[in-house]
Amino acid sequence: MTVWIWKICGLYNEKQPSPLYQVYRYTFIVALIVVYLFSLSLSMFMMPTFEQLMLYIMYIMFTETVMLLKALITYCKFDQLCNLYRLTRGADFKPIDAEEQELHRKGVADINYYFYLYILTAHLAVGSSLLYLLHKDYRMPYFPWMFGIEYGPTQRVNFGIIFGYQVFGMYFHMLITVAIDVQLCYLLGIIGVQLDLIGKRFRMMRTSEQFEESVVGLTNHHQKMQRMVREIEDLFSPAFFAQFSASGLVICATGFQASSMFNLSDLTAIQNVLYMLAMMFQMYLPCRFGNEMTRKSNALKTAIYSSAWYCMRLKQRKTLHMLLQRMNSPLTLKAYYFFNYNLQAYTTTLNIAYSVYALLQRNALKRT
C-alpha cells in the first residue's frame, strides 16, 4: 500500500523512471504540493485576528512542514528505504520453527492492527472537512485564499472547484504522511520481532555445543539490529524531530479550537476533534513501537540468563557474561539526540499540549 502511495504521489524515485511517469510526477508535485503549500502560506495574511493567525500557524503550517520533510526523505532517500525493506525480507529474518513462526505472525499482526487504525483515523480526519459543505456561509475547509479567486453564493462553481482542490490536496498530503509513518513503525516492529526471536534462541541453549554452534550467528544478528537502528535514526531524524517539536502545539491548537466552538450548530468542531485524534495517534505509533523495541532489547539479558548456562563449560560461561555486559545498553531510537521514541516522550508531549491549552483557555476566559 505504501509503495502505491509513493507512486501516486510522485515519490517513487526509481533509478530510470519512464518519461510518462516523470511528466506525471512533476505535474503532481507542482499542482498538489508546491501550489498548495504556496496558497496555504499566503493565506496566513488573510487572517482577521492575531489569535486566528497563531492558531492557523500551529494548526496547519506545522503539520504541512512535517509532511514536506517526510516527502523529501521518501524522495531523496528512496534507495535507502528500499534497502532497509529488502533487509527485513532476507533469509536472516525468517523464523526457523513453529514457535518462531507464531512470534513472527503476532508481531506482523500487531503492526497491521495499528496501521489499519491509523489509516482509518487519518481518513476520518480528512473526510470530516466535507462537513463544511453543511454551512451556508461558503467557508473553505483549510485556507481562505486562493490567488484572489472569488467564491461564494454568486460563484458556486469557483467554490466547488477550490473546495475540491483543498480536500484532495489535504487527502494526498495525509497519504504521504501516513506512508512514511507506517514505514518507520514497520521497521521498528520488525526489529522488535527479531529481538523476540533472538531471545527465544538464547533461551533454548542447553549445552556448550549448542552455544558454540549458535552464539556467533546470534551475536552478528544482534549487531545487524544495532546497525539498522542507527540507520533508521539517521534516516528519520529530521522529520520526526520536527514532528516531536510541533505536535504538542498542534494538538493544543486543535483542542482549543474544538473546545471554543463545540456546539450543536457548528459541525466543523468535529473536524478539529478528529484531526486532534489523528495527530495523537500519529505521535503514539513511533513512540509505542520504539518503546517496544527498547523493552525487548532489555529483555535479552533475561533471555540469556534463562539459558542453561549452569550446564556449560567455564569458557562458555565467560562468553555469556561478556554478552550480558554488552546488553547493558539497550537499543534506543532518538530524533537528533533530543527526543526518544518511547511512551515517556509521548506523555511528555501531551502534558506540554495540555499546559498550553490551559493557558489559552485561561486567557480566553479573562477576555470574556
Side-chain angles (χ1 to χ4, degrees):
M1 185 176 290
T2 56
V3 169
W4 274 107
I5 290 173
W6 290 340
K7 288 182 177 179
I8 293 170
C9 297
L11 300 176
Y12 193 83
N13 192 15
E14 55 186 342
K15 292 183 178 179
Q16 294 181 338
S18 65
L20 185 63
Y21 183 72
Q22 284 183 310
V23 172
Y24 169 79
R25 170 192 288 164
Y26 293 125
T27 302
F28 182 94
I29 290 174
V30 170
L32 285 176
I33 294 183
V34 176
V35 174
Y36 193 96
L37 293 178
F38 181 71
S39 303
L40 193 70
S41 302
L42 288 183
S43 292
M44 289 191 299
F45 302 101
M46 307 301 293
M47 295 297 161
T49 65
F50 179 75
E51 182 184 56
Q52 288 179 328
L53 172 63
M54 294 308 296
L55 284 173
Y56 182 82
I57 292 172
M58 290 191 290
Y59 181 51
I60 297 291
M61 293 304 295
F62 285 160
T63 55
E64 289 300 297
T65 300
V66 173
M67 181 283 304
L68 185 59
L69 282 172
K70 291 178 180 179
L72 289 172
I73 286 173
T74 304
Y75 185 81
C76 299
K77 304 291 185 179
F78 186 79
D79 290 339
Q80 194 174 350
L81 275 170
C82 290
N83 290 335
L84 283 170
Y85 176 75
R86 293 189 192 100
L87 186 62
T88 65
R89 304 293 293 173
D92 292 343
F93 284 70
K94 301 293 183 183
I96 59 176
D97 58 31
E99 184 180 351
E100 291 190 4
Q101 287 176 355
E102 181 63 17
L103 288 171
H104 189 274
R105 186 194 65 78
K106 287 182 178 179
V108 173
D110 195 43
I111 297 169
N112 288 334
Y113 171 76
Y114 283 102
F115 164 69
Y116 288 124
L117 277 181
Y118 183 28
I119 197 75
L120 175 62
T121 307
H123 274 80
L124 288 174
V126 175
S128 63
S129 61
L130 298 177
L131 292 171
Y132 279 83
L133 293 174
L134 300 177
H135 284 268
K136 298 180 181 180
D137 55 356
Y138 292 88
R139 277 189 288 169
M140 288 296 170
Y142 295 110
F143 48 94
W145 185 86
M146 188 68 187
F147 297 108
I149 301 174
E150 294 185 2
Y151 57 86
T154 59
Q155 296 91 13
R156 294 184 180 181
V157 175
N158 290 350
F159 174 77
I161 293 173
I162 298 173
F163 190 96
Y165 174 77
Q166 289 193 15
V167 172
F168 277 106
M170 187 58 71
Y171 178 74
F172 285 111
H173 287 200
M174 176 272 291
L175 288 180
I176 292 171
T177 300
V178 167
I180 197 69
D181 289 344
V182 168
Q183 286 298 317
L184 172 62
C185 295
Y186 167 77
L187 292 171
L188 295 181
I190 290 298
I191 290 174
V193 171
Q194 294 304 306
L195 293 174
D196 283 337
L197 300 186
I198 293 172
K200 175 261 177 185
R201 292 168 189 174
F202 270 117
R203 284 193 297 271
M204 295 299 293
M205 290 181 182
R206 291 292 178 265
T207 64
S208 296
E209 289 72 21
Q210 288 179 335
F211 179 84
E212 290 290 346
E213 183 180 345
S214 305
V215 67
V216 174
L218 291 177
T219 303
N220 290 337
H221 196 47
H222 185 262
Q223 289 176 341
K224 187 180 292 185
M225 297 302 102
Q226 289 177 316
R227 289 193 296 270
M228 276 189 69
V229 170
R230 297 286 77 80
E231 190 172 355
I232 292 169
E233 185 174 87
D234 293 338
L235 183 63
F236 291 95
S237 274
F240 281 89
F241 175 79
Q243 181 171 305
F244 274 81
S245 302
S247 289
L249 294 175
V250 173
I251 293 169
C252 162
T254 52
F256 179 75
Q257 273 196 314
S259 64
S260 62
M261 67 192 297
F262 198 85
N263 56 68
L264 294 177
S265 63
D266 199 342
L267 294 176
T268 52
I270 299 174
Q271 181 194 29
N272 292 283
V273 173
L274 290 172
Y275 188 81
M276 181 177 65
L277 291 176
M279 285 299 303
M280 292 172 67
F281 209 68
Q282 182 185 38
M283 277 291 299
Y284 173 74
L285 286 182
C287 292
R288 191 262 179 195
F289 283 101
N291 193 82
E292 281 295 290
M293 180 190 69
T294 302
R295 183 185 66 81
K296 291 176 180 180
S297 179
N298 267 320
L300 280 181
K301 292 183 290 186
T302 304
I304 293 173
Y305 192 76
S306 298
S307 64
W309 56 269
Y310 43 83
C311 298
M312 299 178 190
R313 293 187 290 270
L314 181 61
K315 179 183 177 182
Q316 283 74 44
R317 294 185 197 181
K318 289 182 177 179
T319 305
L320 278 173
H321 182 70
M322 287 189 292
L323 282 175
L324 286 171
Q325 292 292 102
R326 292 185 62 181
M327 300 295 179
N328 280 333
S329 299
L331 298 179
T332 56
L333 205 64
K334 292 185 177 182
Y336 277 152
Y337 305 99
F338 285 96
F339 305 106
N340 286 314
Y341 291 66
N342 56 32
L343 294 178
Q344 183 180 357
Y346 179 69
T347 55
T348 301
T349 302
L350 292 186
N351 285 334
I352 293 172
Y354 180 77
S355 298
V356 179
Y357 166 79
L359 180 62
L360 290 174
Q361 283 287 75
R362 190 180 307 134
N363 290 335
L365 289 173
K366 285 180 179 179
R367 285 195 299 270
T368 56

